[in-house]
Amino acid sequence: MNGTATWLERSVSRLRPGRKSPAQGEGDRADAAASPPRSTRERLDATLRQKDEALSPRALRRTLAELKAVIDPSVSEVEGGRRAKVLQGWYEAASPEERRDLWLLMSEIFVADPGKAKAAQAQFAAALGTPDEAVAEVNYRRATVSPRRRLLQRFSVYPEGIPFLVGMRAEMQSNLKTDKRLRALDVEMEYMFSTWFDVGFLDLRRISWDSPASLVEKLIKYEAVHDIQSWADVRNRLDSDRRCYGFFHPRLPGEPLIFVEVALVDAMADSIPPLLDELAAAADLDRATTAIFYSISNTQSGLRGVSFGDSLIKRVVETLKDEFPKLKTFATLSPIPGFRTWLGKNMATHLAHFDDRQRAELARAVGVETPAPADLLAAVDKPLGLAPASPLRHLLLTAAARYLGSEMTDGKPADPVARFHLGNGARVERLNWAGDPSAKGLRQSYGLMVNYLYDLKRLDKHRALLAQGKVPISGDIENLLPRKKS
């Protein structure tokens, strides 16, 4: 081991949690309490620590030196990776506050040289339309690449590095809203992960009852749509008439990055309880014509922003078609998690679309001459008791159709699940009353569920419609939308 490496390990050991600067006395702490929070650069230039600062200025400078040593151009990539691994050891023993100081250093200090970037941008602008344009563009791109990216790459040299970085980013997520200084590091990591976790590097695997117990346990841990209640529940979801597939990365071999649960049935499902019924007999696969995607769960919050769902569904459809040539319909049975909250804010707007006759029917159903939005919301609060012909039931269905069929936020569907499936080329096919009568289903969407249809011949057409701000919907959904007044 060379002298530099020994110095690195010795220095890092001095940064272990619990070490405090002996120069910091009680008077210093009192003065620090009255000072405003300092920027990372101010702390690096300081002598004493202020209140609520995890690392002292000296320790912060030493940590910065350790980070710079990782990307020292005079050392090999292997040695840089070894130094990064030493820092990982420090990080794992550090307190949350000390870890946050490391994030701030990586985010704020390891930035592209602004002078070089500005000069390269000017040269690129001057070269536009000339033979030198391509070279100027390359130089500009290189000038804007931050050393932060090379730092992250050095962590990826050793096998545990990528899982470590994914875990680090997951830990950062709760801090992003309160500290915008971390945004640069977060975006850099998202960019790097989008490359490292490109679907070309992922392996699609079926997860079955015969899979290792540790992998089956991951399904229980990460299931985000319909909680798994027992081992019998798991076995039902992995039965002969079911399929479960996940994407895996070579550096996280035992961790599915995303998984999808599929039921093979003879018609489009309209309710989740039969699919989750542990005592139900397995369906006859010879009669299966429809694949229902009833749960899709991302497992790694550190990979937020890295999209797997589109490719996962495509690969699963291809796999299922090869195994079951009779399958003709590919659809989801999906929750509508944002519906109740949206209706609580938009009941008055939705009611404005009703004519006098419909308003009168609602008034009779509520027992109020002129029901206010609060009256209607109270009346639909227990939807399972509403009769099929109830105008209140019609109110909820039309509101859900409007929410899914026309409500957009920043040019994208307002509902997060709709945003996912419609972005993949599906269309809103059918609303299902009491599709999820569980407490969670009632809390999210008054028990309503929706089928999104994946028409394999029209996926690109549906994406094009969505790009124009038009949500692809079926005739059934269109009939529920309020008619525009002439």
Side-chain angles (χ1 to χ4, degrees):
M1 186 178 295
N2 59 42
T4 302
T6 303
W7 164 81
L8 177 68
E9 291 177 341
R10 187 169 60 249
S11 299
V12 167
S13 68
R14 289 200 297 268
L15 301 179
R16 294 293 176 189
R19 293 182 177 269
K20 297 181 180 179
S21 169
Q24 185 177 37
E26 293 302 322
D28 298 326
R29 293 190 182 93
D31 292 340
S35 304
R38 297 184 292 188
S39 70
T40 302
R41 294 184 185 278
E42 288 175 328
R43 291 173 60 193
L44 286 168
D45 293 334
T47 303
L48 300 177
R49 172 178 10 211
Q50 285 188 354
K51 183 181 180 181
D52 297 330
E53 292 179 351
L55 295 177
S56 69
R58 179 181 297 179
L60 199 65
R61 288 191 291 269
R62 201 158 52 226
T63 305
L64 178 59
E66 314 299 344
L67 289 168
K68 288 182 176 179
V70 171
I71 57 173
D72 186 335
S74 67
V75 303
S76 68
E77 185 174 334
V78 173
E79 172 59 20
R82 197 200 67 78
R83 294 181 179 189
K85 190 171 184 179
V86 173
L87 270 173
Q88 178 185 340
W90 172 83
Y91 183 93
E92 289 173 345
S95 69
E97 294 76 19
E98 289 168 329
R99 292 180 178 188
R100 184 169 171 274
D101 277 346
L102 182 73
W103 305 338
L104 289 170
L105 286 172
M106 295 174 71
S107 192
E108 292 192 280
I109 306 302
F110 290 81
V111 300
D113 186 312
K116 291 180 179 179
K118 185 176 181 180
Q121 183 183 33
Q123 292 172 2
F124 177 45
L128 289 174
T130 74
D132 297 326
E133 179 179 341
V135 173
E137 180 186 356
V138 170
N139 291 336
Y140 175 51
R141 289 180 181 275
R142 287 175 175 170
T144 56
V145 173
S146 71
R148 189 188 305 114
R149 187 173 303 178
R150 189 162 71 253
L151 181 62
L152 294 173
Q153 288 170 334
R154 288 289 169 89
F155 276 95
S156 72
V157 168
Y158 60 97
E160 301 86 0
I162 289 180
F164 166 69
L165 291 176
V166 172
M168 176 192 288
R169 185 167 183 250
E171 190 179 358
M172 283 172 51
Q173 295 308 298
S174 61
N175 292 264
L176 291 175
K177 290 184 178 180
T178 57
D179 196 338
K180 295 181 179 179
R181 295 176 296 174
L182 297 173
R183 181 65 175 157
L185 176 59
D186 180 67
V187 171
E188 192 87 72
M189 295 180 91
E190 180 181 338
Y191 171 81
M192 297 297 292
F193 292 165
S194 295
T195 301
W196 294 342
F197 290 89
D198 182 270
V199 293
F201 301 125
L202 303 183
D203 179 30
L204 180 71
R205 286 192 234 156
R206 180 182 171 188
I207 304 170
S208 70
W209 185 250
D210 295 325
S211 297
S214 60
L215 183 53
V216 176
E217 288 173 353
K218 295 289 178 23
L219 299 185
I220 300 174
K221 176 181 178 181
Y222 292 125
E223 168 61 54
V225 184
H226 304 292
D227 293 341
I228 295 176
Q229 305 298 327
S230 63
W231 281 103
D233 189 357
V234 179
R235 184 151 199 160
N236 174 58
R237 300 188 194 206
L238 301 177
D239 209 344
S240 61
D241 60 339
R242 304 299 177 87
R243 292 295 183 270
C244 180
Y245 298 94
F247 265 152
F248 294 80
H249 190 276
R251 288 292 178 89
L252 289 90
E255 290 277 343
L257 307 180
I258 184 174
F259 61 87
V260 58
E261 298 169 60
V262 189
L264 304 175
V265 292
D266 59 3
M268 192 178 296
D270 60 5
S271 178
I272 196 64
L275 299 184
L276 301 181
D277 185 357
E278 302 168 13
L279 302 179
D284 184 354
L285 290 179
D286 291 333
R287 299 178 58 187
T289 60
T290 304
I292 295 294
F293 301 87
Y294 65 92
S295 179
I296 301 177
S297 299
N298 286 290
T299 69
Q300 306 296 318
S301 60
L303 295 178
R304 182 187 60 81
V306 181
S307 178
F308 307 115
D310 182 14
S311 298
L312 176 67
I313 290 175
K314 284 182 178 178
R315 293 272 296 275
V316 169
V317 167
E318 292 169 359
T319 301
L320 290 173
K321 287 179 69 177
D322 288 342
E323 187 177 0
F324 303 102
K326 291 182 180 179
L327 291 178
K328 303 299 180 185
T329 302
F330 298 89
T332 77
L333 181 60
S334 300
I336 317 174
F339 176 51
R340 181 186 274 263
T341 299
W342 174 85
L343 185 59
K345 298 176 181 178
N346 294 275
M347 178 62 87
T349 304
H350 183 60
L351 189 61
H353 292 282
F354 281 52
D355 58 31
D356 291 341
R357 178 185 60 80
Q358 292 171 320
R359 288 169 183 265
E361 291 174 346
L362 287 171
R364 286 193 294 271
V366 177
V368 178
E369 184 175 351
T370 307
D375 298 319
L376 294 170
L377 289 169
V380 299
D381 192 54
K382 296 182 179 179
L384 300 183
L386 298 176
S390 170
L392 293 170
R393 182 164 169 167
H394 180 71
L395 173 72
L396 284 177
L397 287 169
T398 55
R402 181 177 158 223
Y403 174 62
L404 295 174
S406 62
E407 284 298 302
M408 309 283 275
T409 301
D410 297 328
K412 297 180 180 180
D415 188 79
V417 176
R419 191 157 56 243
F420 173 81
H421 289 296
L422 296 174
N424 290 340
R427 80 178 184 195
V428 186
E429 187 66 11
R430 186 179 69 185
L431 283 168
N432 300 298
W433 184 262
D436 183 1
S438 70
K440 181 179 179 180
L442 293 171
R443 185 171 62 251
Q444 289 184 335
S445 60
Y446 300 96
L448 285 167
M449 297 193 79
V450 58
N451 298 118
Y452 295 102
L453 179 68
Y454 279 84
D455 186 335
L456 305 183
K457 296 180 180 179
R458 293 180 171 83
L459 298 181
D460 290 338
K461 177 183 177 181
H462 292 162
R463 285 196 191 93
L465 280 173
L466 192 64
Q468 299 168 19
K470 301 175 183 177
V471 176
I473 58 175
S474 68
D476 289 346
I477 299 298
E478 187 173 4
N479 289 336
L480 286 170
L481 291 176
R483 302 295 180 185
K484 293 183 179 180
K485 297 179 181 179
S486 57

